[in-house]
Amino acid sequence: MKIAVAIKQVPLRDSPLRVNAAGTWIEEDNLSFEINEPDAYALEEALQLREKHGGEVIVLSAGPARASQTIREALAKGADRAIHIEHADLASLDTLGVGHLLAAALRNESPDLILTGLQSDDLGYGQTGVVLAELLGLPHSTIIMQVQVMNDVQPGKLRVKRELEDGWFQHIEMPLPAVLTIQSGLNKLRYATLMGIKKAKTKEIKVVSAAELGALPPPSAVIEKIYAPEKSNQAQIFEGDAKTAAAKLVEKLRFEARVI
Amino acid sequence: MSVLAIVEQRMAGEVLAAAQEFGSPLKACSIDLPYTADAYTAAAEELIRKVNPTLVVFGHTYQTRDYAPKLAARFGRVLISDVIGGKPPVFVRQMFQGKFNADVRLSGDGPHFLSIQAGAWRAEENPAAVETFSPSSTTSRQVPEAPFRESARAVDLTAADIIVSVGRGIKEKENIPVVEALAQALGAELAASRPICDAGWLPMDRQVGSSGQTVSPKVYVAVGISGAIQHLVGMKGAKTIVAINKDRDAPIFDVAHYGIVGDLFEVVPALVEEIKKTKA
Ligand SMILES: Cc1cc2nc3c(=O)[nH]c(=O)nc-3n(C[C@H](O)[C@H](O)[C@H](O)COP(=O)(O)OP(=O)(O)OC[C@H]3O[C@@H](n4cnc5c(N)ncnc54)[C@H](O)[C@@H]3O)c2cc1C
């Protein structure tokens, strides 16, 4: 089975983020980056499926040059090879633009299964995988918590567990090839081994410039500016050392909330 | 600007309120089909081609997430998802997990597509009538089975008066007793954000949020929880919300009534001690 995983590089979780001078994106200097969290689960799922069914895992990432580090980490975890679509300023594209880039890079590959995380920790649009399915003419499903490739019972069939609201789930069957967007937590992430890191150095990363993949339609949504949300000032913040603050809070819980 | 609201039961009132604000004439429809992504995309496409709206509005539900981006792509557009405010042609949505807002401008001709965040608009009291749309044909590659729940919930958080809820700030499983002590001192149920349950540090049925339980206790103490929207929808009905977080900019402080900005490993033990002293 040929599995492609689309991953995105985002700022390290809990990074102190600041808006850039132009107010159009964040200040990226001095930031560290990592794989988008749900994408890490998508990669893990791809690796586990390959262990079960054989085949190969191809990592696909659109992003600036620095994304190559995250791609290398995915190879170190066990992906077989990678395609890096180099684009200096992803935020200038809308999701459809990114979808077009990913679709163009995948057309020649014709994977049996394409996985992505369900949304990115930066933009959070939550639609790259779904858009990709439409552009490639493939069936898809989202917020996936379990993937079963039914090769032994029904070749070419996929059965997935999709998350619904309030703790409900649903199984869905569809034919392969297909696109799935993966929810965090569906498996347990592996670490790269020393051996894996060493091997990754010899694995192929094919770098394609976004321009090579053809002209993109003009974006239908443009980020005009980003800014810190206005703080609601309803919260009463207790200052001082831990003990002083705790005492003030306990007083409120006792005399206003009346739960102590 | 002509507006089409495509509603499902979930969030219907909010979607109609937002749609009414965004423009007129307004048409509101629900799609009369069992849900699959393919079937709904085709049905909504047929509906849009018939109505020819400039703006199509959805609620940002899991169902919308599943098909509306595909639908928008079919029209060469993106879905501006999870919108919290604004009006045509500039809408506001969150980024970086609620740390920033972004103004997003529609560009080019309609139809444009957007979904609104749960809780961002108040449900309309006199909503427009919702028509039922039945598409001319349906086909779907996805074959759904009946929805199910994993197992009976052993813990009913909805009955709790006080909830102490723990998030990723707790760092590792071995630290869970730190918040357990607080729950015990307060006579509270222990709950958690999703990553804690995903990691198996606490059982799934203690998860609060859009994919867990929705609670409205007298007091909800959020410890080391950032306040992602998927968590907030599960607890913002609490009467009193207390947040303990080392990051003053964490979105949880926007819904909190009381807060302590600090390291939970110092604050929580101090709190436990203070409560014990008071109760003694
Ligand atoms: C479809 C979907 C459904 C989801 N459903 C749910 C759901 O039902 N429930 C849910 O909770 N989430 C849900 N999520 C996940 C949600 O988006 C967030 O990722 C999650 O809520 C974050 O959990 P957290 O706040 O514990 O972690 P983080 O966002 O990582 O926040 C940790 C916080 O701890 C603070 N912190 C760190 N160290 C300390 C310290 N020493 N002292 C004090 N504070 C500290 C940090 O400042 C930070 O604010 C869902 C996501 C999706 C996409």
Side-chain angles (χ1 to χ4, degrees):
Chain A
M1 208 160 81
K2 192 184 213 181
I3 309 171
V5 192
I7 66 173
K8 182 178 192 182
Q9 190 188 48
V10 296
L12 201 62
R13 184 171 340 109
D14 287 344
S15 298
L17 299 178
R18 283 181 305 121
V19 177
N20 67 11
T24 51
W25 192 241
I26 52 163
E27 191 55 71
E28 292 198 345
D29 296 349
N30 306 320
L31 277 187
S32 300
F33 295 86
E34 66 181 340
I35 186 170
N36 178 48
E37 185 174 41
D39 298 351
Y41 287 94
L43 171 64
E44 177 61 38
E45 193 59 22
L47 296 173
Q48 292 190 15
L49 287 170
R50 184 192 61 191
E51 278 152 18
K52 234 181 263 167
H53 303 281
E56 101 179 300
V57 173
I58 307 162
V59 163
L60 174 66
S61 187
R66 60 168 156 74
S68 65
Q69 192 194 336
T70 296
I71 293 172
R72 198 60 82 186
E73 283 160 15
L75 293 173
K77 285 190 171 188
D80 297 282
R81 60 190 169 92
I83 304 171
H84 180 180
I85 303 167
E86 232 185 74
H87 192 290
D89 184 15
L90 271 196
S92 68
L93 304 178
D94 63 6
T95 330
L96 194 54
V98 175
H100 275 294
L101 293 178
L102 299 176
L106 284 178
R107 270 197 192 97
N108 300 327
E109 294 283 355
S110 316
D112 301 300
L113 183 62
I114 301 171
L115 305 182
T116 70
L118 55 72
Q119 68 186 41
S120 59
D121 289 343
D122 53 2
L123 289 170
Y125 272 113
Q127 48 187 302
T128 301
V130 183
V131 167
L132 191 55
E134 172 66 11
L135 296 178
L136 292 172
L138 300 178
H140 78 278
S141 190
T142 56
I143 322 190
I144 298 304
M145 289 297 289
Q146 195 183 70
V147 183
Q148 286 168 273
V149 176
M150 315 269 283
N151 272 349
D152 344 336
V153 220
Q154 278 178 294
K157 268 259 154 63
L158 192 62
R159 186 166 184 265
V160 296
K161 182 169 136 192
R162 165 170 155 70
E163 184 176 300
L164 306 173
E165 280 113 334
D166 307 325
W168 289 82
F169 299 93
Q170 181 176 40
H171 283 112
I172 296 174
E173 272 190 25
M174 74 192 87
L176 290 168
V179 182
L180 302 176
T181 79
I182 299 293
Q183 169 69 299
S184 291
L186 94 163
N187 50 36
K188 218 170 161 324
L189 302 180
R190 72 188 64 192
Y191 292 100
T193 60
L194 267 178
M195 182 61 128
I197 294 168
K198 216 164 131 191
K199 267 196 185 155
K201 293 191 179 128
T202 63
K203 288 178 179 171
E204 178 201 15
I205 301 182
K206 188 167 135 198
V207 181
V208 206
S209 77
E212 281 171 61
L213 293 171
L216 294 177
S220 63
V222 180
I223 299 174
E224 245 178 13
K225 73 176 191 200
I226 80 169
Y227 47 94
E230 216 168 284
K231 289 257 163 286
S232 93
N233 279 324
Q234 71 165 7
Q236 205 174 327
I237 305 285
F238 303 114
E239 315 275 350
D241 59 34
K243 192 167 160 16
T244 317
K248 286 185 194 155
L249 175 58
V250 167
E251 198 181 293
K252 290 289 178 191
L253 291 180
R254 191 166 171 207
F255 296 110
E256 300 208 356
R258 293 166 190 267
V259 290
I260 299 180
Chain B
M1 175 173 286
S2 62
V3 180
L4 169 65
I6 299 185
V7 298
E8 55 186 291
Q9 215 167 12
R10 189 178 283 275
M11 289 183 70
E14 298 165 54
V15 172
L16 293 171
Q20 221 155 62
E21 219 177 281
F22 293 157
S24 64
L26 167 64
K27 193 176 171 74
C29 292
S30 68
I31 293 173
D32 184 23
L33 273 183
Y35 178 77
T36 74
D38 277 355
Y40 264 52
T41 306
E45 181 189 358
E46 184 181 335
L47 174 62
I48 291 165
R49 298 213 189 275
K50 210 173 90 184
V51 176
N52 205 14
T54 311
L55 185 65
V56 187
V57 184
F58 304 85
H60 195 61
T61 62
Y62 286 23
Q63 182 171 301
T64 295
R65 295 176 63 117
D66 195 52
Y67 84 98
K70 179 179 174 72
L71 174 69
R74 196 161 285 185
F75 285 89
R77 295 282 172 271
V78 294
L79 173 72
I80 303 188
S81 57
D82 219 10
V83 164
I84 59 167
K87 56 181 195 308
V90 179
F91 294 97
V92 184
R93 61 185 302 283
Q94 294 171 313
M95 278 193 190
F96 293 95
Q97 316 226 308
K99 279 192 189 134
F100 297 119
N101 283 352
D103 288 353
V104 180
R105 178 178 286 275
L106 304 177
S107 163
D109 299 333
H112 293 287
F113 296 81
L114 75 90
S115 64
I116 61 160
Q117 186 170 90
W121 271 265
R122 193 189 292 266
E124 180 60 47
E125 275 170 26
N126 301 302
V130 177
E131 297 168 29
T132 307
F133 177 72
S134 305
S136 55
S137 71
T138 79
T139 56
S140 176
R141 292 164 293 186
Q142 299 93 353
V143 181
E145 296 171 26
F148 65 96
R149 269 202 162 137
E150 214 52 50
S151 59
R153 276 178 176 159
V155 188
D156 183 11
L157 295 174
T158 60
D161 264 349
I162 313 176
I163 292 177
V164 169
S165 194
V166 58
R168 191 136 60 177
I170 198 73
K171 303 234 158 50
E172 41 191 296
K173 187 176 183 179
E174 285 59 42
N175 296 334
I176 294 285
V178 174
V179 280
E180 257 166 4
L182 178 59
Q184 205 169 28
L186 282 170
E189 280 287 355
L190 192 58
S193 68
R194 181 176 181 131
I196 301 301
C197 300
D198 279 346
W201 298 354
L202 283 174
M204 281 297 179
D205 46 16
R206 294 195 179 266
Q207 181 181 315
V208 168
S210 65
S211 47
Q213 300 198 43
T214 300
V215 298
S216 41
K218 280 195 194 139
V219 175
Y220 188 91
V221 187
V223 183
I225 291 178
S226 62
I229 179 64
Q230 293 89 356
H231 188 81
L232 297 185
V233 295
M235 46 63 76
K236 52 180 192 196
K239 200 148 167 272
T240 301
I241 297 171
V242 179
I244 299 169
N245 197 303
K246 66 174 184 190
D247 177 8
R248 175 64 183 95
D249 291 332
I252 190 75
F253 285 116
D254 285 335
V255 300
H257 303 93
Y258 303 121
I260 298 180
V261 180
D263 183 351
L264 74 90
F265 297 104
E266 290 173 21
V267 173
V268 172
L271 208 47
V272 172
E273 196 166 309
E274 212 48 52
I275 294 165
K276 283 190 180 152
K277 222 162 64 187
T278 309
K279 281 192 169 173

